[in-house]
Amino acid sequence: MIEPMMKVSIVLLNKEKEEALKALRKIGLVHLEKVEGSSEKLSAFKEYTGNANVAEAILGEIKQPKNKKKEIVTLSDDKVINLCSEIVAKSERKKQLLEEISANTTELDRFANWGKVSLEDLQYLQEKGLQLKLYEIAADKYLEIDNKIETILVNNDKKTVRFLIINGGEGRPENLLPEAFEVPLPRLSTNELEEEIKKNVSEIESIDAFYRENAKYVNSITSFKKNLESDIEFENVNSGIEHESSGNTNDLAWISGYVPKAEIETFKDECKKNQWALAYDDADREDTEVPTKLKNNKFVSLVYPLTDFLGTVPGYNEYDISGWFLLFFTIFFGMIFGDGGYGLLVTIVALILMIKNKAAKKSASPLLGLMLLLGISTVVWGTVTCTWFGIDAALLPSWLTKASIPWISGAYADSLWQPLWITEEGLGLTKDQNLQIFCFSLALLQLSIAHIKATKRNFAEKNGLKALGDIGSLLQLIGMLWIVLSMVVDSRVFPMLGSIGPVPVGKIEISLIAIGFVLSFVFANYEGSVGQSILASCKNIISVLLGVVNVFSDIVSYIRLWAVGLAGAAISNTVNTLAGPILGHAILFLAAILLLGFGHGLNMILNLLSVIVHGVRLNTLEFSQHLGVSWSGKKYQPFSERK
């Protein structure tokens, strides 16, 4: 559930604000409204953080010798600040040196075919009345140069001739062919460029040596940076808190934030102890700044590592779907991972890590609990579908085959399963079609839950007419399922417009969609006036009409669970096929084991990525859209001391 929040405002003496903020941070209950502070101290902290980020990134890339024991060295904050500043300065210097080396190397490359070029010699000759200029021209044009122009051939290749023009004047000789290109002189003599490159390389080597020498302090820098985050947060609030500025000792300062309703009495007592004035009221559900604090039992809380990783937080006025998210994600994970053998490996690893943590007397990790749950889910799915490391069902023990459910089991892949209303010989459903039906049934179940929850809330808020809009969407879902089964699975088994015995399925499905559309059209935008609701639907008529198509596509979208699981099964089967022939050879046995380990390991990684992409999507997109959850919330993060 989403915990109710209280909007609180605290008033205190401006001269006591720093001590008050320290006390407020110690209390650790108030999620402060956004504050933008400004002070020299804050600027310095931000500069230290920037330098620490650069230093950490540079030193973190340096690998320490394996045979050398890892030194745990700590530095004082002042020394860390100086070290980080020096590293940043050397980093900038190294960047400058690399740019100079690049520029000088380019210059040398430009004169690579000219040999050594000395600016001093050219200057000396000019002082003696002998001016030389460097030119290049196409090889077939050199002989066409006017004889009046004095030239000295330097060298040539198949394409280009390099030559000097003697005393050609300040500008370009008038009779010189336009194809001739004057080569600008280098910035320095080529010998000086080479020397400068050597010096720069030597200085870069000394900078790299400095990095290696100080790489042992990277942990100190990381720790300093982490502590600095708390200082920045505090100083930002301290310098940004609103206050009177008359200079009077009785000037006031004030700040606002949010406190969980369950903690308001505790907070009131703390305010009394600190002699702060306090005003509070229920947070406005329409206020987008209200943070979201979720409160669930330990089992549902297993989903938190996943939602924290995704950064998904429902808005304060939205729904907490943590329980439903965990339930369906667990099912989706099992179906996409698909293989009971893979699930068994995940389960064993999770159990080993949990036992190891318990032996070390560490607190239970929700991530390991989630991992164990997902592993068990995959084992269950692998059991009912008879899928174990991609091994052919005929080669598995009979008890594994018997434990599977025939109509979705790989052990009965060639069998046709007939619904009760099918009597025609040879007409039925394959294993894959049954799995598709299961996927679409999951779609109906999950999306129906979304509209049932929305309907329930509207009735609870005495907005029954708007609830009719959600009921309309629910009817469209139910009616659309049969159309999906007819179009995607088998139109003979699921006749779109026909009847099943005396039941006119076609008329019922069309009627449900039509009635649902009308209810949704009339009441989906209801805010106190039916006429205004209809007008709003008319204004967005294209979106309203496309909404019916979206219901179809949202249901069909769940087929990804079958398709991705099928792809994973195909990969594991291919790996087995490749490794199978060489397993019987003693010499190649090890290679076969390595191939199996690599192939199945890679498949597990791909399946994990598929879960993140597809399993998460169905919860955060299809389900959330039907429920009206936009994940626009801000996580409750009270102003508190960092641990």
Side-chain angles (χ1 to χ4, degrees), residues 538-558:
C538 290
K539 288 179 180 178
N540 299 289
I541 188 64
I542 301 298
S543 299
V544 172
L545 293 174
L546 287 176
V548 181
V549 179
N550 288 339
V551 173
F552 176 87
S553 62
D554 286 345
I555 295 175
V556 172
S557 182
Y558 281 71

Side-chain angles (χ1 to χ4, degrees), residues 400-429:
L400 279 180
T401 303
K402 292 176 181 177
S404 64
I405 298 176
W407 56 276
I408 58 172
S409 171
Y412 306 90
D414 297 329
S415 302
L416 288 177
W417 302 95
Q418 293 184 318
L420 296 176
W421 63 85
I422 298 297
T423 57
E424 183 180 338
E425 186 67 27
L427 180 59
L429 299 168

Side-chain angles (χ1 to χ4, degrees), residues 313-573:
V313 181
Y316 181 65
N317 63 337
E318 295 180 343
Y319 299 88
D320 174 21
I321 61 169
S322 300
W324 295 113
F325 197 120
L326 179 63
L327 170 63
F328 285 103
F329 180 76
T330 302
I331 297 171
F332 298 159
F333 186 97
M335 293 178 68
I336 291 174
F337 233 65
D339 194 295
Y342 295 171
L344 196 60
L345 290 177
V346 173
T347 302
I348 292 171
V349 170
L351 286 172
I352 291 173
L353 293 176
M354 292 174 80
I355 293 170
K356 187 177 178 181
N357 277 2
K358 190 172 183 180
K361 296 182 179 179
K362 293 182 180 179
S363 58
S365 170
L367 180 59
L368 292 180
L370 178 63
M371 186 175 170
L372 177 62
L373 177 65
L374 298 178
I376 293 172
S377 169
T378 309
V379 171
V380 171
W381 185 256
T383 300
V384 299
T385 58
C386 200
T387 309
W388 298 90
F389 292 113
I391 300 172
D392 191 296
L395 302 176
L396 293 171
S398 59
W399 62 271
L400 279 180
T401 303
K402 292 176 181 177
S404 64
I405 298 176
W407 56 276
I408 58 172
S409 171
Y412 306 90
D414 297 329
S415 302
L416 288 177
W417 302 95
Q418 293 184 318
L420 296 176
W421 63 85
I422 298 297
T423 57
E424 183 180 338
E425 186 67 27
L427 180 59
L429 299 168
T430 64
K431 181 201 81 167
D432 286 337
Q433 287 175 321
N434 286 325
L435 286 171
Q436 292 170 16
I437 294 170
F438 183 75
C439 292
F440 298 144
S441 299
L442 273 178
L444 178 63
L445 176 61
Q446 188 178 29
L447 300 182
S448 295
I449 288 170
H451 291 291
I452 291 170
K453 285 179 69 69
T455 302
K456 185 178 177 181
R457 169 180 273 193
N458 284 322
F459 275 122
E461 294 176 353
K462 298 181 180 179
N463 196 359
L465 288 179
K466 188 167 185 177
L468 291 176
D470 290 301
I471 293 173
S473 298
L474 180 59
L475 294 177
Q476 289 183 69
L477 273 171
I478 297 170
M480 194 64 73
L481 175 65
W482 191 267
I483 292 179
V484 171
L485 295 176
S486 179
M487 295 182 67
V488 178
V489 180
D490 194 323
S491 60
R492 297 173 300 168
V493 177
F494 304 99
M496 185 183 297
L497 300 176
S499 300
I500 297 177
V503 182
V505 178
K507 292 181 180 179
I508 292 174
E509 73 192 34
I510 297 299
S511 298
L512 288 174
I513 295 172
I515 295 170
F517 176 78
V518 171
L519 289 174
S520 181
F521 185 88
V522 175
F523 299 108
N525 301 299
Y526 181 78
E527 294 294 342
S529 170
V530 174
Q532 290 295 327
S533 178
I534 295 173
L535 183 61
S537 295
C538 290
K539 288 179 180 178
N540 299 289
I541 188 64
I542 301 298
S543 299
V544 172
L545 293 174
L546 287 176
V548 181
V549 179
N550 288 339
V551 173
F552 176 87
S553 62
D554 286 345
I555 295 175
V556 172
S557 182
Y558 281 71
I559 202 172
R560 68 183 68 237
L561 298 171
W562 164 74
V564 177
L566 186 65
I571 292 174
S572 61
N573 183 262

Side-chain angles (χ1 to χ4, degrees), residues 203-264:
E203 188 173 349
I204 287 174
E205 288 175 350
S206 68
I207 291 173
D208 289 339
F210 176 83
Y211 290 161
R212 289 192 295 273
E213 182 183 347
N214 290 281
K216 58 189 175 183
Y217 300 123
V218 68
N219 290 333
S220 291
I221 294 172
T222 301
S223 178
F224 169 75
K225 189 181 74 169
K226 187 175 180 180
N227 293 333
L228 201 57
E229 291 175 0
S230 179
D231 294 335
I232 290 175
E233 181 187 35
F234 183 87
E235 183 57 29
N236 182 60
V237 176
N238 185 40
S239 59
I241 188 172
E242 294 186 76
H243 61 277
E244 294 177 323
S245 54
S246 65
N248 194 302
T249 56
N250 292 323
D251 280 352
L252 299 177
W254 56 93
I255 193 166
S256 298
Y258 303 90
V259 174
K261 196 169 186 176
E263 304 286 350
I264 194 63

Side-chain angles (χ1 to χ4, degrees), residues 581-605:
I582 57 177
L583 270 174
H585 298 274
I587 299 176
L588 299 176
F589 181 77
L590 181 59
I593 295 299
L594 291 175
L595 176 59
L596 287 171
F598 174 78
H600 286 291
L602 179 62
N603 194 25
M604 289 180 72
I605 293 172

